[in-house]
Amino acid sequence: HLMKPVEDAQRPRVVTPFPAPKIMDLPQFQGEHKESLYWGTYRPQVYLGIRARTPQSLVAGLMWIGVKDGRYFMRHVCQDSDELSTYGWTHHNGRDYGHQVLIDHGMTLATSFLKSKEDGSGYGGDWTVRIDVKSEKWNEEMLRSAHLFFYLADEDGNALSLSGDILDIRENSLLALGSRMDVGGWQLHLESVDDLEVHYSGFRTPHIHNLSDLVQESLGEQVRKFGRLQLPDTSDNSPNILVFQISAKVPFKIDIPFLSGTGLKSSRVEERLNSLTGTSLTRELIEKQNEFDNKFEKCFNLTSKVDSESLIVGKAAIGNMLGGIGYFYGQSKISLPKNNNFKSHDNFISYWPAELYTAVPSRSFFPRGFLWDEGFHQLLIWRWDIRICLDIIGHWLDLMNIDGWIPREQILGAEALSKVPEEFVLQHPTNGNPPTLFLVLHDLVSSLKRNKFTSMESNEISSFLERAFVRLEAWFQWFNTTQSGNEMSSYFWHGRDSTTTRELNPKTLSSGLDDYPRASHPSGEEHHVDLRCWMLLAAECMHSITELFRKENGLEKEYGSTAKLLSDFDILNQMHLDKAHGAYFDFGNHTEKVRLSWKEVRAGNNYPTRELVRETLEKPELRLVPHIGYVSLFPFMEKIIPPESWILEKQLDLISNRSTLWTDYGLRSLSKTSSLYMKRNTEHDPPYWRGPIWMNMNYRILSALHHYSQVDGPYRDKARIIYNDLRGNLIRNVVHNYYQSGYLWEQYDQKKGKGKGARPFTGWTSLVLLIMAETYCER
Ligand code: 6A9
């Protein structure tokens, strides 16, 4: 609150929006487009959650009681510790249909989501949810009831009305009703042919991010008082949250339709309810699934390329990518320098309140937007639905501030914030993250030039690019100025900690490759080869956009010559090539002679304690940083190396050699020969990008291998063989893990190929689908 007057008088630059018309204000994102995407499964952080794309929405969701070893647990927010043996969207089209399967210790829930827009329904139309509960090994003891809790909550705090007659759902299927500016009158119903017992509870609270606690407390009280696992059928005055408990003997099936715009005379409630429940719904869901299958085949053409097992994983990949798309609203917290002149007592300042429609890397661990992940996500999404893709990129670019900076990790709203450890919350305006959105934009421009879109789509992409252009320019300039190095066409990632004595190799979170080893002693004299290559990609993309628009003002030339400079093979080699290895390295203040060792130190309370501290056994000097891994392959990924160069052969050797990068499951992030291979960074930081296999980088490398197996040159056959083997290994391992574990994973172990880290991780690991389809960036 102290900030307020200061902010109003003079808004700090860092939280000043980029001064240009917002992309999301373009006409193409209004009207029918906006309405068609209004409702969705936009709460990827819960097992099933529905909301509208509006800051304060009506939100719906599902909880249930899971039973494990005779104990009861409330399921709601996607939590790894729930140990579901699988969950995820086996089908989802990102718009009006999805089918999810969740297996919770012998109990299987299938959740289907369907939207429809019929005459009479209000803004955004109607939607319905079908929940189908079955059991696999449902034993006698569990033959009791299963308990589902379906809730509706109004983030605006508007009161919701309970139907007068909830307890007898056969007589009257209406559960609740209300009215809102955005949807008009609405009704929520429950229908089933099975015997259900229904109870309810109504709450009034502004805090809707800890709904699980609310329900759990209410149930707990009932159990203590009456020994009943049953909501009390009571409500606070004018509740903004309604929870319906639906209990029945397994198996059973329920349909929960939501109708909007019901106030109107012409609203034909009965008819609409009929079409969203029972046998009509069954029919419609089958039809939608067939549509999904057909579109999948049309987009990715897999049938002739992979076996039927892989095909199912491919569908889960795109289904979860689309089903995982979320809508978030809130303010990022931006780190302030210590001596800021805004007289703030906090170490942060809030960004402006913003909306973000985005896919997410992982529904359980990281259910929010990450800048460089998003570029990879969109490689899949644009091929499925170009309008969803543009909408997402538009949201991201609208988050840009006046300096051309976009915060890397988007923690928007109380619900998102509640999941993030403190040290990760603040976003640093000096730090970037790879501008992978250029990967997609470059794809789009190439495809435009090749007339791959309908004329409507082409028009929309063009007007999008036209409006986005100033922002893209600013983004490019932000990197080109703030991240430039001390030599011409050199760059380095800012944000490394040069004062730490704890880390074996100070992390480079901004690069996205976190603990991938860089110069041992961070300094302004570093040159990072990956960033240099990202800049090339960005310059090339900007150039191709200027070409498209035939910009007369010299911009075309400018980006063209930057791209030329950055792809100059000799300059690249002078700066980054290690001739002996035929590998590309970072440059910086470096020694290999560092290690972590235990030291006795005095803690704050003056007691002796032991700590892992870094020792440097030799004076670092300016030199190439001799680690072979993903970073060394960036010039290869960018296809800078001429096909006839001996260096290409060397790169192929590094890739295909088992004692460096090759494994039967994909390419290691760091060579086995590296001094930091699989080394911990601190006592608490196990190796992350120091060995394990990551799909996004494997995709980029595969894409280059594909390129070199197509262009003429002495190493063409070699590239082709490696390409085929690597592709086969990646697909086989991801598919195997999926069947074995029920999930796609964040990374894969380089020794046995086992999935590691976050699960489900249906962000860039889903690129396995493009690998199956052999679809790579067109350049
Ligand atoms: C930790 C822990 C419940 C790390 O996929 C998102 C990012 C990537 O952009 C990045 O390249 N991941 C990669 O190195 C995950 C980052 C998570 C940071 C926040 C919160 C919560 O655990």
Side-chain angles (χ1 to χ4, degrees):
H1 324 95
L2 269 174
M3 295 300 305
K4 204 76 198 155
V6 185
E7 249 188 75
D8 288 343
Q10 189 202 10
R11 212 184 217 291
R13 235 188 122 74
V14 68
V15 294
T16 305
F18 188 78
K22 282 172 73 178
I23 299 176
M24 292 320 295
D25 288 342
L26 277 169
Q28 70 200 63
F29 294 122
Q30 318 309 320
E32 213 181 306
H33 169 88
K34 194 164 187 170
E35 206 178 336
S36 72
L37 290 175
Y38 199 59
W39 290 107
T41 53
Y42 302 138
R43 303 176 62 218
Q45 66 277 21
V46 295
Y47 288 119
L48 178 70
I50 293 153
R51 66 168 297 138
R53 298 202 312 165
T54 188
Q56 306 293 331
S57 175
L58 207 54
V59 304
L62 174 71
M63 303 184 200
W64 72 91
I65 293 182
V67 187
K68 190 194 162 197
D69 304 331
R71 294 186 54 198
Y72 291 11
F73 299 89
M74 189 59 103
R75 314 293 194 203
H76 178 213
V77 177
C78 300
Q79 280 190 132
D80 196 55
S81 54
D82 291 346
E83 292 178 341
L84 267 55
S85 38
T86 186
Y87 64 94
W89 298 97
T90 57
H91 306 76
H92 200 300
N93 65 15
R95 287 184 171 269
D96 60 5
Y97 165 71
H99 180 79
Q100 178 178 225
V101 178
L102 310 101
I103 303 182
D104 183 1
H105 300 87
M107 173 159 90
T108 302
L109 290 96
T111 64
S112 304
F113 173 73
L114 181 83
K115 287 204 297 186
S116 86
K117 173 78 182 147
E118 290 188 53
D119 293 347
S121 65
Y123 191 80
D126 303 337
W127 50 263
T128 187
V129 165
R130 166 166 291 177
I131 304 167
D132 194 338
V133 188
K134 292 200 175 89
S135 63
E136 273 165 15
K137 327 165 252 202
W138 209 244
N139 56 37
E140 278 303 306
E141 184 223 350
M142 290 170 165
L143 229 145
R144 298 191 284 249
S145 293
H147 304 278
L148 307 182
F149 301 83
F150 194 84
Y151 62 82
L152 200 62
D154 189 308
E155 293 184 315
D156 252 339
N158 296 318
L160 314 175
S161 306
L162 283 154
S163 141
D165 191 15
I166 294 173
L167 306 180
D168 192 357
I169 225 65
R170 285 208 179 231
E171 284 297 308
N172 179 1
S173 67
L174 183 68
L175 288 178
L177 65 168
S179 161
R180 282 175 50 103
M181 285 295 282
D182 58 345
V183 290
W186 57 263
Q187 297 184 357
L188 185 74
H189 290 253
L190 168 64
E191 293 207 359
S192 175
V193 295
D194 298 308
D195 266 328
L196 309 178
E197 200 179 321
V198 179
H199 296 280
Y200 67 89
S201 221
F203 305 93
R204 163 128 224 118
T205 160
H207 309 293
I208 75 159
H209 72 273
N210 35 20
L211 269 171
S212 328
D213 298 348
L214 211 59
V215 176
Q216 232 164 312
E217 271 161 33
S218 171
L219 270 181
E221 200 179 305
Q222 289 292 104
V223 171
R224 274 193 307 279
K225 280 194 192 150
F226 311 108
R228 280 200 305 247
L229 201 62
Q230 197 176 88
L231 288 177
D233 300 320
T234 59
S235 173
D236 292 349
N237 269 335
S238 32
N240 63 323
I241 300 170
L242 299 177
V243 185
F244 301 96
Q245 175 173 8
I246 301 142
S247 310
K249 287 228 158 61
V250 179
F252 67 94
K253 208 190 293 185
I254 58 174
D255 296 335
I256 309 182
F258 174 93
L259 305 183
S260 63
T262 53
L264 307 169
K265 276 232 179 64
S266 59
S267 55
R268 299 163 29 253
V269 167
E270 280 309 311
E271 226 178 296
R272 281 154 63 194
L273 278 180
N274 266 335
S275 76
L276 293 172
T277 56
T279 47
S280 321
L281 177 58
T282 307
R283 231 181 300 120
E284 187 66 17
L285 289 174
I286 293 173
E287 196 161 306
K288 282 289 175 183
Q289 173 160 342
N290 289 337
E291 260 175 41
F292 173 93
D293 289 339
N294 294 338
K295 183 163 181 182
F296 182 83
E297 181 53 26
K298 208 182 104 222
C299 281
F300 304 109
N301 233 305
L302 288 195
T303 318
S304 58
K305 293 204 157 170
V306 298
D307 58 22
S308 55
E309 274 199 333
S310 307
L311 200 78
I312 289 173
V313 179
K315 285 183 184 173
I318 187 73
N320 281 305
M321 176 64 77
L322 294 162
I325 291 175
Y327 171 94
F328 306 91
Y329 182 80
Q331 295 173 271
S332 293
K333 293 184 175 183
I334 312 300
S335 143
L336 278 176
K338 283 218 181 65
N339 321 313
N340 65 79
N341 40 19
F342 306 119
K343 302 189 186 71
S344 166
H345 293 295
D346 295 319
N347 56 347
F348 73 90
I349 181 168
S350 293
Y351 223 46
W352 62 89
E355 306 176 76
L356 181 62
Y357 170 64
T358 184
V360 303
S362 165
R363 289 174 60 191
S364 52
F365 283 85
F366 326 121
R368 49 187 177 275
F370 287 81
L371 182 51
W372 90 301
D373 294 60
E374 206 48 37
F376 292 106
H377 300 162
Q378 295 313 315
L379 290 178
L380 267 168
I381 292 180
W382 82 256
R383 294 180 159 96
W384 179 265
D385 191 320
I386 182 66
R387 293 192 172 90
I388 291 181
C389 167
L390 295 178
D391 194 315
I392 290 179
I393 298 181
H395 273 92
W396 273 98
L397 292 177
D398 280 347
L399 290 173
M400 179 176 287
N401 77 0
I402 192 169
D403 293 320
W405 174 71
I406 305 174
R408 169 167 63 107
E409 184 173 347
Q410 295 288 331
I411 307 161
L412 304 177
E415 193 167 3
L417 191 62
S418 69
K419 286 203 114 188
V420 184
E422 214 181 298
E423 70 264 33
F424 291 104
V425 169
L426 296 192
Q427 300 299 305
H428 301 271
T430 46
N431 300 356
N433 201 211
T436 52
L437 297 179
F438 284 119
L439 282 173
V440 194
L441 296 174
H442 205 298
D443 260 9
L444 294 187
V445 176
S446 312
S447 303
L448 264 187
K449 289 179 181 165
R450 285 169 213 190
N451 283 322
K452 295 233 171 137
F453 295 104
T454 66
S455 65
M456 268 267 268
E457 288 169 342
S458 300
N459 289 341
E460 288 179 26
I461 297 168
S462 300
S463 53
F464 178 94
L465 289 172
E466 228 151 331
R467 173 142 321 174
F469 193 75
V470 277
R471 289 174 187 268
L472 295 173
E473 277 219 283
W475 206 27
F476 181 89
Q477 285 311 329
W478 183 87
F479 280 98
N480 204 30
T481 52
T482 69
Q483 310 290 297
S484 66
N486 63 352
E487 266 178 47
M488 190 173 70
S489 70
S490 73
Y491 299 89
F492 73 104
W493 294 109
H494 286 49
R496 300 190 70 205
D497 183 349
S498 58
T499 61
T500 174
T501 55
R502 298 279 194 290
E503 298 177 49
L504 181 57
N505 186 280
K507 284 204 289 258
T508 317
L509 293 172
S510 40
S511 75
L513 307 171
D514 298 18
D515 65 339
Y516 185 95
R518 310 280 182 165
S520 61
H521 290 66
S523 74
E525 287 164 301
E526 264 169 89
H527 305 153
H528 292 142
V529 64
D530 53 336
L531 182 48
R532 192 178 191 283
C533 291
W534 287 120
M535 293 309 293
L536 169 59
L537 168 75
E540 274 180 346
C541 182
M542 290 307 288
H543 182 240
S544 71
I545 300 175
T546 53
E547 261 179 4
L548 195 70
F549 296 143
R550 306 214 164 72
K551 294 256 176 201
E552 302 291 337
N553 51 5
L555 279 176
E556 185 178 335
K557 267 209 183 116
E558 202 178 308
Y559 287 113
S561 55
T562 307
K564 204 157 163 233
L565 184 68
L566 289 172
S567 58
D568 186 296
F569 196 46
D570 295 326
I571 302 179
L572 169 75
N573 290 343
Q574 273 162 36
M575 292 180 68
H576 291 292
L577 179 69
D578 177 281
K579 286 223 174 79
H581 292 91
Y584 292 100
F585 291 148
D586 284 344
F587 176 87
N589 198 22
H590 183 73
T591 167
E592 284 286 283
K593 300 225 158 61
V594 288
R595 65 174 183 216
L596 292 178
S597 45
W598 291 101
K599 280 265 156 58
E600 192 117 317
V601 293
R602 297 260 159 203
N605 56 15
N606 213 25
Y607 280 105
T609 139
R610 277 156 54 82
E611 263 180 11
L612 258 191
V613 176
R614 182 171 94 165
E615 288 182 314
T616 304
L617 307 169
E618 171 192 86
K619 196 170 172 299
E621 52 183 53
L622 285 175
R623 51 173 291 196
L624 289 172
V625 182
H627 296 288
I628 292 167
Y630 290 163
V631 166
S632 352
L633 293 177
F634 266 73
F636 176 77
M637 294 182 214
E638 277 305 316
K639 303 159 190 164
I640 306 175
I641 306 167
E644 64 284 349
S645 165
W646 64 273
I647 298 170
L648 180 59
E649 187 177 28
K650 282 283 189 189
Q651 302 274 301
L652 294 175
D653 288 342
L654 293 174
I655 289 172
S656 58
N657 188 340
R658 283 179 188 277
S659 54
T660 46
L661 299 176
W662 190 265
T663 80
D664 291 338
Y665 320 102
L667 300 181
R668 292 186 187 94
S669 39
L670 189 62
S671 165
K672 242 177 140 176
T673 56
S674 161
S675 59
L676 293 191
Y677 176 67
M678 289 310 282
K679 286 265 161 63
R680 302 181 81 83
N681 199 39
T682 68
E683 188 185 348
H684 310 288
D685 281 330
Y688 198 40
W689 293 86
R690 294 185 182 173
I693 297 157
W694 295 78
M695 194 57 61
N696 59 340
M697 291 292 110
N698 272 281
Y699 173 75
R700 298 274 295 142
I701 295 162
L702 208 52
S703 172
L705 283 166
H706 189 254
H707 165 81
Y708 287 113
S709 67
Q710 307 271 310
V711 296
D712 259 342
Y715 312 113
R716 184 177 172 164
D717 290 344
K718 191 168 175 165
R720 201 195 56 245
I721 293 165
I722 300 174
Y723 166 79
N724 284 328
D725 287 351
L726 179 56
R727 173 172 176 268
N729 287 347
L730 290 164
I731 296 173
R732 195 181 324 106
N733 191 51
V734 169
V735 170
H736 171 78
N737 267 278
Y738 184 80
Y739 283 99
Q740 191 97 2
S741 68
Y743 295 100
L744 294 177
W745 294 77
E746 184 181 19
Q747 19 154 265
Y748 293 87
D749 167 73
Q750 75 287 356
K751 279 207 186 109
K752 295 256 166 68
K754 199 162 174 278
K756 305 211 316 176
R759 61 155 193 192
F761 190 101
T762 49
W764 59 44
T765 301
S766 304
L767 289 172
V768 72
L769 170 54
L770 293 186
I771 294 175
M772 290 179 190
E774 306 199 79
T775 298
Y776 305 104
C777 305
E778 301 198 28
R779 270 203 288 137

